[in-house]
Amino acid sequence: LSAESDTYIIGKPTYLHTSSLTGRSTRSVPAYCAESKEIVWLKDTWRILGRCHLIYEKLHAAKVPYIPRCKGGADIDGIGTRTQEYQNRSWAHRLQKPLRALQHYRLILSDIGRDCTQFATAREFLAVGIQQPITHDGAYFDAGILHHDISVGNILILGVGAETKGMLIDWDL
């Protein structure tokens, strides 16, 4: 697996969401970067709009707190959906909402965290919970970005005890 110029060796996906034929089939996996010899977080998805790594860059430039470090992201060349091209054909089943074109995309995050439900203490849970409005406030007022899905699945816990940070992820609007 390569994204930009680095080569990544991936493990078993920890989050796999494929309940819909028209969904984005997001998979998140820990990955080993052969060049930098570090473990990173790789998100493999089908994006709709924009490139998520550019959003992370904008958030970091605005000094928004509790955003994971983003190593980069890239489209997988030549791999996109074509189903939407056939949705209006006479033989196609009519859908309530039109299908969107999707592009295969990979995002690399330098920070690896635990699922938000795996907090060690109530204090850790509360610390992470208090940090999320601070992140969202900074994203909106300092970077002009509104996160559209603040949920348990989009918050990672980094560190332990007094060093605990709740990182808001999944900024692909």
Side-chain angles (χ1 to χ4, degrees), residues 1 10-18 24-31 40-45 56 105-107 109 111-113 115 153-154 156 169-170 172:
L1 166 66
I10 62 172
K12 179 182 177 185
T14 57
Y15 175 72
L16 182 60
H17 190 281
T18 57
R24 294 178 16 194
S25 298
T26 300
R27 295 181 296 168
S28 296
V29 295
V40 296
W41 195 254
L42 184 140
K43 178 181 176 180
D44 183 74
T45 190
Y56 280 91
Y105 176 80
R106 291 197 178 116
L107 174 74
L109 298 177
D111 295 310
I112 299 175
D115 183 281
N154 289 332
L156 293 179
I169 61 169
D170 204 13
D172 48 341

Side-chain angles (χ1 to χ4, degrees), residues 9 33 40 56 70 74 78 90 95 106 164:
I9 302 166
C33 179
V40 296
Y56 280 91
C70 182
S90 60
L95 300 172
R106 291 197 178 116
T164 299

Side-chain angles (χ1 to χ4, degrees), residues 1-22:
L1 166 66
S2 291
E4 296 177 12
S5 61
D6 292 341
T7 301
Y8 296 91
I9 302 166
I10 62 172
K12 179 182 177 185
T14 57
Y15 175 72
L16 182 60
H17 190 281
T18 57
S19 63
S20 169
L21 291 174
T22 59

Side-chain angles (χ1 to χ4, degrees), residues 12-160:
K12 179 182 177 185
T14 57
Y15 175 72
L16 182 60
H17 190 281
T18 57
S19 63
S20 169
L21 291 174
T22 59
R24 294 178 16 194
S25 298
T26 300
R27 295 181 296 168
S28 296
V29 295
Y32 176 75
C33 179
E35 285 71 24
S36 67
K37 310 242 184 293
E38 65 180 332
I39 296 175
V40 296
W41 195 254
L42 184 140
K43 178 181 176 180
D44 183 74
T45 190
W46 292 81
R47 69 172 179 79
I48 301 165
L49 301 171
R51 290 180 170 81
C52 193
H53 67 280
L54 300 177
I55 296 169
Y56 280 91
E57 287 176 12
K58 187 173 180 181
L59 292 166
H60 281 285
K63 299 189 181 347
V64 176
Y66 310 116
I67 302 294
R69 293 169 295 143
C70 182
K71 191 170 178 180
D75 287 340
I76 308 303
D77 289 335
I79 303 180
T81 59
R82 295 194 58 205
T83 311
Q84 69 282 353
E85 297 171 15
Y86 301 97
Q87 67 185 339
N88 293 323
R89 299 286 173 98
S90 60
W91 46 264
H93 177 73
R94 297 288 170 236
L95 300 172
Q96 291 179 346
K97 294 196 285 188
L99 294 174
R100 299 173 287 191
L102 301 174
Q103 171 64 47
H104 197 182
Y105 176 80
R106 291 197 178 116
L107 174 74
I108 310 291
L109 298 177
S110 297
D111 295 310
I112 299 175
R114 295 176 275 139
D115 183 281
C116 187
T117 61
Q118 297 177 357
F119 54 90
T121 64
R123 179 172 287 193
E124 188 175 85
F125 175 74
L126 290 172
V128 168
I130 289 169
Q131 294 164 356
Q132 299 319 297
I134 295 167
T135 302
H136 200 258
D137 183 79
Y140 184 73
F141 291 108
D142 300 335
I145 296 172
L146 183 65
H147 195 290
H148 295 273
D149 184 17
I150 298 177
S151 61
V152 172
N154 289 332
I155 300 170
L156 293 179
I157 300 174
L158 272 67
V160 226

